[in-house]
Amino acid sequence: MNKLKQIYTNTGVRFALHTFFYLAILVTLFLMYGFHTANTGNYIYNDF
């Protein structure tokens, strides 16, 4: 357990782990909601 704490205190390892963690969250959100729903609505000025 002490060895894991020593590894985690390294700034490069911590940066890589945090980057991977947030990238995994971002990819999960993109997979859940997808890219296709961004432009599916009507353009607001078409009705005027």
Side-chain angles (χ1 to χ4, degrees), residues 33-41:
Y33 296 107
F35 294 103
H36 58 82
T37 58
N39 295 323
T40 56

Side-chain angles (χ1 to χ4, degrees), residues 2-47:
N2 198 15
K3 183 72 172 170
L4 289 176
K5 286 182 183 179
Q6 287 178 342
I7 292 173
Y8 187 72
T9 56
N10 186 353
T11 56
V13 172
R14 190 174 351 175
F15 177 77
L17 288 174
H18 285 179
T19 302
F20 176 74
F21 177 71
Y22 289 118
L23 185 64
I25 290 174
L26 189 63
V27 167
T28 303
L29 287 174
F30 282 141
L31 289 175
M32 284 174 57
Y33 296 107
F35 294 103
H36 58 82
T37 58
N39 295 323
T40 56
N42 291 336
Y43 190 59
I44 191 169
Y45 296 111
N46 285 346
D47 294 333

